[in-house]
C-alpha cells in the first residue's frame, strides 16, 4: 500500500535574492555564497528522485536540527561599487543617447494624462509660470561664487601640480605613453602625444550658451546669432535661477503669466504692485583673479589645504548645478557640444557635426545631463609607482582632471570616485606578470 504523502517543509528561499542588483555592480568580482551555506542547501535538496519516506517520491526531509547546525546568510551591501567602467566616449558619427528613453517618456506622458483625466488643470508651478523658485535664489549665488573660487584655486594649484596638455591632458610631470593622439599631424607621430604646458581652460572646460533677457521669450533666430551675447552656460543657469549681474540684465516677473493659448501667453499687469524691495537673497560676488596676480602655495601644508578646499568647491558646484537642472530646463545638441539654457533650443544653424548638411546646420536638441554642462574630462590616475606603462593600460584607473589635481596636491580620495580610479587593483610589476593574470 502506498504511504500517504505528508507535508514536508521546504528550505526557505535565499534571503539575499533582493540584494543581487546591488551585488552585480561589483565589476571584476564574481559573487558566490559561502561554501558552508551552499553545502547546507545542497543537503536540503539532496535525494531528488530517491523517494525518501514521509516526503513523497521526490524530496527527502532534511536531517534533524540536532545533527545539522543552523547557518546564517551574510548580505554584502555597499552604496559605491568597487570597480566601474570608464565613461563611454561617443564617436562623432553617432548621436548621443537620450537620458531617458523615448518609450519611457511616452509611457510617463500616458500615465500623466490618465491621472489628470477628469480633473481641472491647475496653474503651472514656477519657473514655468515666469516666477523664480525662491529656495534656489541663494543657491544661485553660492554656485556662481563656487565657480569663481574653483577657477582661482585651480590657477594656484597648477603652479605646483604639473599638468601637461595635448589634445588630451595628463596630471604629472611627464605625459602618459599611450598612443591616443587624434590631433594635427598625429599620424606622423603614430598617435604619440606632443606634450606641453596647459591652462585652466583645458582642465575646467568652458561651455558657453546664449544669454536670454527673457527666458520665456521667443527663440533666437538664425539671423540674430551674432547679436545675442554668449556667456558661460553655468553662469546663464545661475542668472535664470535668480542671480543678478548688472552686465547681463534679465527680465524678472512678479506675477505669473497669463496663458491665452497652448504656447501663447501675456504678462500680468503689475501696476498695482508696490516698488520692488532690495533683494534680500543678494550676496557678495567674488571676482576672478588675473594670471599676473596668482601666487602659488608656499608650503606642502598650504597646498594640501588648498586641494581640500578645491575638492569641496568642485562638489558644491556640481551638486548645485544638478539641483538647478531639475527645475530649469537645459538642452544640449545630440550631435555637438552646443548647450542652451531654456525650455527649447535656439534656431541658429551653426551645428557642424556629422551629416549637418542633411539638417541644414540645425541642432538636434534633447535634454542635457550634468556632464554636458560641466564636463569632468577624465584623465589617467597616477599609481603609487609614479609612472604609467603602455603594456599595463588595462590596470590603470581614471578620475576627473580637477579631482586628480587635488589628489596629487594632497587631498583625500572621495568615495564616489574610487570606483573608476581602481585603487584596489594590484598593478603587475612587469608584462610577464601581467600575462599570468586570469
Amino acid at each position: 500500500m502506498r504511504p500517504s504523502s505528508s507535508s514536508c517543509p521546504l528550505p526557505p528561499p535565499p534571503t539575499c535574492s533582493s540584494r543581487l542588483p546591488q551585488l552585480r555592480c561589483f565589476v571584476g568580482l564574481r559573487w558566490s555564497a559561502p561554501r558552508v551555506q551552499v553545502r547546507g542547501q545542497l543537503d536540503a535538496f539532496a535525494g531528488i528522485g530517491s523517494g525518501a519516506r514521509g516526503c513523497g517520491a521526490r524530496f527527502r526531509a532534511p536531517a534533524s536540527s540536532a545533527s545539522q547546525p543552523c547557518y546564517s546568510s551574510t548580505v554584502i551591501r555597499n552604496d559605491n561599487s568597487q570597480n566601474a567602467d570608464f565613461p563611454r566616449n561617443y564617436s562623432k558619427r553617432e548621436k548621443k543617447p537620450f537620458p531617458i528613453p523615448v518609450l519611457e517618456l511616452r509611457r510617463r506622458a500616458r500615465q500623466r494624462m490618465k491621472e489628470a483625466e477628469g480633473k481641472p488643470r491647475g496653474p503651472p508651478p514656477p519657473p514655468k509660470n515666469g516666477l523664480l523658485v525662491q529656495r534656489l535664489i541663494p543657491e544661485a549665488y553660492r554656485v556662481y561664487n563656487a565657480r569663481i573660487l574653483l577657477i582661482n584655486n585651480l590657477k594656484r594649484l597648477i603652479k605646483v601640480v604639473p599638468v601637461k596638455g595635448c589634445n588630451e591632458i595628463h596630471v604629472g610631470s611627464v605625459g602618459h605613453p599611450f598612443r591616443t593622439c587624434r590631433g594635427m599631424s598625429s599620424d606622423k607621430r603614430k598617435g604619440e602625444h606632443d606634450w606641453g604646458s596647459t591652462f585652466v581652460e583645458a582642465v575646467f572646460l568652458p561651455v558657453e550658451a546664449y544669454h536670454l533677457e527673457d527666458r520665456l521669450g521667443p527663440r533666437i533666430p538664425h539671423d540674430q546669432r551674432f547679436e545675442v551675447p554668449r556667456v558661460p552656460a553655468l553662469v546663464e543657469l545661475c542668472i535664470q535661477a535668480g542671480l543678478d549681474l548688472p552686465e547681463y540684465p534679465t527680465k524678472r516677473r512678479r506675477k505669473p503669466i497669463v496663458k491665452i493659448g497652448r504656447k501663447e501667453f501675456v504678462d500680468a499687469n503689475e501696476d498695482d504692485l508696490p516698488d520692488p524691495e532690495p533683494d534680500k537673497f543678494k550676496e557678495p560676488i567674488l571676482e576672478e583673479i588675473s594670471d599676473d596676480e596668482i601666487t602659488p602655495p608656499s608650503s606642502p601644508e598650504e597646498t594640501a589645504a588648498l586641494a581640500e578646499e578645491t575638492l569641496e568647491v568642485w562638489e558644491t558646484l556640481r551638486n548645485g548645478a544638478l539641483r538647478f537642472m531639475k527645475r530649469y530646463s537645459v538642452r544640449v545638441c545630440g550631435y555637438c557640444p552646443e548647450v542652451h539654457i531654456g525650455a527649447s533650443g535656439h534656431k541658429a544653424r551653426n551645428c557642424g557635426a556629422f551629416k549637418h548638411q542633411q539638417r541644414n546646420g540645425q541642432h538636434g536638441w534633447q535634454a542635457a545631463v550634468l556632464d554636458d554642462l560641466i564636463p569632468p574630462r577624465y584623465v589617467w590616475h597616477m599609481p603609487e609607482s609614479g609612472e604609467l606603462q603602455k603594456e599595463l593600460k588595462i590596470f590603470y584607473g581614471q578620475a576627473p582632471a580637477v579631482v586628480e589635481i587635488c589628489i596629487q596636491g594632497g587631498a583625500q580620495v572621495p568615495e564616489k570616485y574610487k570606483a573608476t580610479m581602481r585603487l584596489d587593483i594590484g598593478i603587475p610589476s612587469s608584462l610577464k606578470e601581467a600575462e599570468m593574470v586570469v
Side-chain angles (χ1 to χ4, degrees):
M1 181 176 179
R2 185 178 181 181
S4 60
S5 60
S6 60
S7 60
C8 177
L10 298 178
T15 58
C16 61
S17 61
S18 61
R19 312 296 187 188
L20 288 180
Q22 284 97 353
L23 295 174
R24 289 173 184 170
C25 64
F26 286 80
V27 181
L29 294 182
R30 182 177 298 172
W31 177 84
S32 60
R35 289 187 176 181
V36 179
Q37 181 182 355
V38 174
R39 184 177 295 276
Q41 294 180 2
L42 291 178
D43 292 341
F45 284 100
I48 296 178
S50 61
R53 182 179 178 181
C55 288
R58 296 186 61 84
F59 292 94
R60 183 180 67 184
S64 61
S65 59
S67 60
Q68 286 191 358
C70 180
Y71 302 106
S72 60
S73 61
T74 303
V75 179
I76 304 174
R77 298 189 64 181
N78 190 3
D79 296 334
N80 299 315
S81 59
Q82 187 173 3
N83 294 315
D85 295 334
F86 300 146
R88 179 184 174 187
N89 294 325
Y90 294 98
S91 173
K92 296 181 179 180
R93 293 172 174 260
E94 59 180 336
K95 188 177 182 293
K96 301 174 188 174
F98 290 96
I100 302 176
V102 178
L103 295 179
E104 178 65 18
L105 293 176
R106 293 176 180 175
R107 188 196 65 81
R108 294 182 183 181
R110 291 193 297 266
Q111 183 67 19
R112 288 194 301 267
M113 293 178 62
K114 184 177 180 180
E115 294 177 355
E117 186 176 359
K119 298 180 181 179
R121 177 177 294 182
K128 294 182 179 180
N129 60 358
L131 302 181
L132 296 176
V133 182
Q134 296 296 319
R135 61 182 178 85
L136 292 181
I137 297 179
E139 188 72 18
Y141 285 89
R142 285 194 292 268
V143 171
Y144 180 80
N145 287 335
R147 176 184 174 273
I148 299 297
L149 186 59
L150 176 65
I151 295 176
N152 294 338
N153 289 357
L154 286 177
K155 289 181 179 180
R156 297 183 61 191
L157 282 176
I158 288 180
K159 298 289 185 178
V160 293
V161 179
V163 180
K164 301 298 181 179
C166 185
N167 69 323
E168 299 179 2
I169 61 174
H170 179 74
V171 184
S173 57
V174 181
H176 63 74
F178 309 130
R179 298 174 180 267
T180 55
C181 183
R182 299 295 181 268
M184 185 179 299
S185 303
S186 60
D187 53 343
K188 298 180 181 179
R189 302 189 305 270
K190 297 182 180 180
E192 289 187 359
H193 291 276
D194 186 13
W195 299 109
S197 59
T198 186
F199 304 96
V200 178
E201 289 76 10
V203 178
F204 184 61
L205 295 178
V207 180
E208 293 187 346
Y210 285 110
H211 170 61
L212 304 179
E213 294 186 0
D214 185 5
R215 58 185 176 87
L216 298 182
R219 300 170 64 182
I220 300 175
H222 178 71
D223 300 336
Q224 299 179 6
R225 64 188 184 279
F226 298 119
E227 302 175 6
V228 181
R230 301 271 293 183
V231 298
L234 188 59
V235 175
E236 175 63 18
L237 183 59
C238 294
I239 292 175
Q240 294 191 15
L243 174 67
D244 289 331
L245 295 178
E247 58 270 23
Y248 299 113
T250 183
K251 186 175 183 179
R252 303 294 188 194
R253 295 179 175 87
R254 294 190 292 168
K255 280 188 176 181
I257 59 175
V258 180
K259 283 205 167 188
I260 58 177
R262 184 177 179 181
K263 295 184 179 181
E264 299 178 356
F265 67 91
V266 294
D267 293 333
N269 188 8
E270 301 179 356
D271 296 339
D272 56 336
L273 296 179
D275 295 337
E277 299 179 357
D279 192 358
K280 60 180 180 180
F281 300 106
K282 194 170 184 179
E283 299 180 5
I285 297 176
L286 301 179
E287 295 182 359
E288 186 175 341
I289 303 176
S290 61
D291 297 339
D292 300 335
E293 302 176 358
I294 295 297
T295 57
S298 57
S299 62
E301 293 77 12
E302 185 180 355
T303 303
L306 183 63
E308 289 286 354
E309 181 187 7
T310 305
L311 204 55
E312 295 178 1
V313 171
W314 169 257
E315 295 299 328
T316 301
L317 186 71
R318 289 181 64 88
N319 295 335
L322 186 59
R323 282 191 288 268
F324 291 156
M325 295 177 67
K326 292 180 180 179
R327 300 303 301 269
Y328 294 89
S329 300
V330 180
R331 315 291 288 179
V332 66
C333 178
Y335 305 95
C336 70
E338 179 72 13
V339 173
H340 181 78
I341 312 299
S344 56
H346 57 77
K347 295 183 179 181
R349 300 188 298 270
N350 52 5
C351 181
F354 182 64
K355 291 186 177 181
H356 63 91
Q357 299 89 348
Q358 299 180 2
R359 295 176 277 110
N360 196 19
Q362 295 181 356
H363 294 281
W365 298 111
Q366 63 186 42
V369 296
L370 181 60
D371 289 347
D372 297 325
L373 186 66
I374 308 176
R377 189 156 198 186
Y378 279 78
V379 297
W380 293 101
H381 172 62
M382 291 294 294
E384 296 180 356
S385 61
E387 61 177 353
L388 299 174
Q389 300 183 27
K390 181 171 55 177
E391 296 81 7
L392 306 179
K393 181 179 179 180
I394 59 175
F395 297 95
Y396 300 131
Q398 292 183 356
V402 176
V403 178
E404 181 66 18
I405 291 176
C406 295
I407 292 174
Q408 294 194 20
Q412 297 293 329
V413 181
E415 288 290 335
K416 61 186 299 185
Y417 298 109
K418 289 183 178 180
T420 57
M421 295 174 67
R422 300 179 179 177
L423 300 179
D424 62 319
I425 295 181
I427 301 177
S429 58
S430 62
L431 180 60
K432 184 177 180 180
E433 183 180 352
E435 293 175 352
M436 299 172 60
V437 177
V438 179

